[in-house]
Amino acid sequence: MLDVVKKQLENFHKNQPEFHQAVQEVFEDIHDFYTDHEIYERFAIAERMIEPDRIIQFRVTWVDDSGNVQVNRGWRVQFNNAIGAYKGGLRFHPSVNESILKFLGFEQCFKNALTGMPMGGGKGGSDFDPKGKSDLEVMRFCHAFMEELHRHIGPNIDVPAGDINVGTREIGYMFGHYLKVENQFQGVITGKGPNFGGSCGRTEATGYGCIYFLEEMLNAHDQKLKGKRVIISGAGNVALHAAEKAIAEDAKVLCLSDSKGLLYFKDGLSDKDLKEIKVIKTQNHGALKDFKGTAGEYKSGAEPWDIECDIALPCATQNEVDDKEAKKLVKNGVLAIAEGANMPLTAKAQDIVMKAGVIYGPAKAANAGGVAVSGLERTQNAEMRSWPLQRVDQELREIMKDIHKRSIEHIERNKEGVYNYRKGANITSFKKIADTLVAYGVK
Ligand code: NDP
C-alpha cells in the first residue's frame, strides 16, 4: 500500500512536499491496520483518500489605496465530504500554495473525524499578504475573495472558517459580502462576530482546547500542568489563547514569538502583560517588539526551542520545529509537546521526540478544539440560538476528553509507558472515513 501511495504522490502531486509529508505520515501509521482489512485494498481506499474531491482556483482582483489594481490567487480545496459538509479554515499568507492547502485539507479530514462531529475536510485561502495593508484594503480584498467563493459554499456544502491572518475582522468582511450577494442569512462560515451568529468561545477554542488536550495527556501519564514551564511559539490566535489558559491552570509561560522575534519572560508571563500583547497583535496588528512592559526581554530573530522547559507548544506554522530544534528540546528534558499549529514538527523532528519518550500530541488531536467549536457554531446557527460561554467551554472540555479517548482506542502504551497519540489518532480517524467510503460503494 505504501508503494502505491508513494507512486500516486510522485506521479500526480509533483513538487508538493508539504502534501507528501502529511500523507506519508498518516499512511505509515495506518499501514498494518490497512493491510489487516482486505476490503480497504479492494475498494482502493488509500488511492481515493489522497485525491481531493475537487480544487477550485480563482483570481482575486481588488484595488489598493493608491488606486492600483492588484491580482491575487484564491483557492478552496474540497478534500473529502464522506462524513459531513467540507469544513476547514481560510489562510491568507504569501506562502499559500496548492501543496500547503492540500496538506491542510487532508489533515483536516482526519482532525474533523476525530472530533466525533459530522464534518468533512477542506481548506482554502490566498497568497494575499495582509501585512502592511490598510483596513480598507483588507476589506476590499475580502469582498473580492468572497465574490467568487460564495458560489462554492453553503451550510450543507462547505463551511469555511479562519486560519493564519484570517480572524474576526476578515470573517466579518467575508460574511457581510456573502450576505449581500446571496441575500441569505445562514451559517455559511464560522468564527463570526457574536452579533451575527458567531459562537461565544470560538476565538479562544483552539488555544484553550490545546491546553485541555495537553492536560488529558499529562493525566494519562500521571503528570499535572500546574507549575510546569511552558514555551509557546507564535503570538496569534492559537498561541495567545493557549498562553491564557496555561496561565489560568497555574503553569509558567516563558515565551511567545512572532515572525520577527521572541519575547522571553524569565519569571513567567503575567495576565496583565498578556493583555497588552493581545492589544498589540490583535487590535493594532503590530509586532512583539512593540511590547513596552519591563518583564519581557525581546530577542530579534530568536525562536523558543532552546529555552529549558517542561512543555513545548508550537503554535505558529508548519515545519517550524526541525530535527535540530527537536534535539534541543529533548536535550533540555522536555516532557510533553502539544501541537497548536498544523504540522509544526517535521517528520524527522517527530521521530526524534517520539523515540526519546516525549509525550507528543499531534495537531489533528491537540488543535481540534477550534473546528469543534466551529461545529458547535453551526449547531447554534441551525437552531437559531446562541449558547452562553460557560456551556460552550464545558462542551469543548468534554470534546477534548473524548478526542483523547478516541486517540488511544486502537493502541497500547509503548514499553516506556507512553502512548503514541499520532498513530492512535490516525487509525481512529482513518477507520471512520474509510468505513464510510466502503459503505457508500464506489463513488
Ligand atoms: P495567526 O495568524 O493568528 O497567528 C500566527 C502566528 O504565527 C503569528 O504570530 C505569526 O507571526 C506567526 N507565524 C506565522 N507564520 C510564521 C512563520 N513562517 N515563521 C514564524 N512565525 C510565523 O494564526 P493562528 O494562530 O490562527 O494559526 C496558527 C497555527 O494554528 C496555524 O498552523 C493554523 O493552521 C493552526 N490552527 C489554527 C486554528 C484557528 O482556530 N485559528 C485552528 C487549528 C489550527 P506574525 O504575527 O509576525 O505574523
Side-chain angles (χ1 to χ4, degrees), residues 37-48:
H37 296 77
E38 177 273 331
I39 193 152
Y40 295 149
E41 201 157 306
R42 189 144 47 89
F43 275 73
I45 295 297
E47 293 91 323
R48 288 161 66 186

Side-chain angles (χ1 to χ4, degrees), residues 91 131 163-165 202 206 235-238 259 281 316 341-342:
R91 176 178 292 190
K131 281 226 172 86
D163 191 76
I164 290 180
N165 290 330
R202 173 60 187 91
T206 309
N237 173 283
V238 181
S259 56
K281 295 302 294 185
N342 283 312

